[in-house]
Amino acid sequence: MARIVMKFGGTSVADLDCIRNVAQRVKKETANNNQVVVFVSAMAGTTDQLVKWVEQISPLNDAREYDMVVSSGEQITAGLLALALQDSGVPARSWLGWQIPFKTNKMHGAARIDKIGTDEITKRLEEGTVCVIAGFQGISDDNRITTLGRGGTDTSAVALAAALNADRCDIYTDVEGVYTADPRIVPKAQKLDKITYEEMLELASLGAKILQTRSVAMAMSHKVRVQVLSSFTNKPGTMVVDEDEIVEKQIVSGITYAKDEAKVTLVGVHNTPGIASEVFILLADGNINVDMIIQNETQDGKKTDLTFTVAEKDLGKAQNILKSATNIHHEAIITDKNVAKISVIGVGMRSHAGVAASMFKTLADKRINIQVISTSEIKISVLIDAEYTELAVRALHTTYGLDAQ
Ligand code: ADP
Ligand code: ASP
Ligand code: MG
């Protein structure tokens, strides 16, 4: 007997037929005598609609009430799945996050899980009940509902899998696993049988929406065996594993893109020690994360252009902060939302030279200009004009030999 956590994303519970399909998959696991916890997302499109309503009703943006509204989609699917399971003869009950409880901090909209109660779930599992839990939500010390950030049901599932010491955490979605690139824009993308935690972490944080970044970090630190697979086919998915479980290491395992960043250039900043620290401290104080950074001195060294990227949603706030900072002397602030970050990722990069060179050559051959570059041990990212996103991702996919035959 194994203890399994299953998670079904929005498209897997998009309507009643999909929910019945999920119930049959869960039933199969119970028929194998496994203890099963199921996490569900809201029906596809529901959370987007809830977010829109919040934005339309008030510009005040009270994040506590935002969480109250956007957490509601998961309540519907959890209840419906419990009913569908009961209907097919499987003892099941549903819970909301606060009933477990998933205790979180107070960062509404992007809360972090502090502690999870496991007593009741453990008892129910031992009695043979399937525990269906609404994903994406928790409760703060102030007794208010919190949400874990978009895509947060992945994190709910992995966190409980860690707390229950589950044998597996299966993330069911609308594609057959983790691919070498988003299969929606790269038709020749290939499904990976295995991917390392580290690569998955980079893929997720650099734009592949398939798993929420935080869920991967949690799986990595608690050694949760995560599998990503389709709820619409019966094929094996992708296992997220330790590096030593992968015999043949690819130089590049995946290519990602992210269109949700904006570029800011402070032109003609006085080139004195401490200026960069001043700029970035101000932004950090405003809770704005800066991602890619370059600085270019003028030839006489007196001035410098400072270019960096921030999340597009933070652009207005970043501009206001910089405009009101009277001690940072600069000639102009130029911003550009029309940019995309393209990244190539692979643990094999550690031991292979020339990966960056072939990336730059591929983009040059397509006449795509590189605006900013950043690297880490296992990834290279470049910022380009968003218009060339698909072209760049597909060309790089070919360059690194990732295309399916
Ligand atoms: P769910 O609603 O099941 O959580 P998501 O939409 O969050 O599903 O994630 C699945 C989507 O992630 C896929 O439909 C696919 O378009 C996208 N995706 C982006 N990059 C990748 C990748 N490298 N491999 C697989 N899917 C990817
Ligand atoms: N329903 C939430 C969202 O759309 C959480 C999730 O699906 O994981 O972001
Ligand atoms: Mg998701």
Side-chain angles (χ1 to χ4, degrees), residues 7 9-10 41 150-154 171-173 209-212:
K7 177 258 168 175
S41 290
R150 297 303 305 270
T153 304
D154 297 330
I171 308 280
Y172 287 88
T173 184
K209 298 236 154 54
I210 184 94
L211 286 175
Q212 197 195 34

Side-chain angles (χ1 to χ4, degrees), residues 252 254-255 342-346 349 355 359 378-380 396 400:
V252 170
I255 321 268
I342 312 292
S343 308
V344 301
I345 295 137
M349 251 181 240
V355 181
M359 180 179 201
I378 66 160
K379 69 109 194 213
I380 305 159
L396 291 167
Y400 294 109

Side-chain angles (χ1 to χ4, degrees), residues 369-404:
N369 191 37
I370 297 171
Q371 304 177 10
V372 188
I373 303 169
S374 72
T375 63
S376 79
E377 212 187 359
I378 66 160
K379 69 109 194 213
I380 305 159
S381 299
V382 296
L383 198 72
I384 62 167
D385 187 329
E387 190 186 335
Y388 303 114
T389 305
E390 280 81 3
L391 179 64
V393 174
R394 288 185 193 138
L396 291 167
H397 200 264
T398 306
T399 294
Y400 294 109
L402 299 174
D403 287 353

Side-chain angles (χ1 to χ4, degrees), residues 7-12 41-42 44 151 153-154 171-185 189-190 192 200 203 207-212 228 254-257:
K7 177 258 168 175
F8 293 89
T11 39
S12 305
S41 290
T153 304
D154 297 330
I171 308 280
Y172 287 88
T173 184
D174 55 1
V175 289
E176 285 176 0
V178 179
Y179 283 68
T180 47
D182 186 346
R184 290 191 203 290
I185 73 156
Q190 300 188 65
L192 299 162
M200 193 61 237
L203 278 178
K209 298 236 154 54
I210 184 94
L211 286 175
Q212 197 195 34
V228 178
I255 321 268
T256 60
Y257 65 95

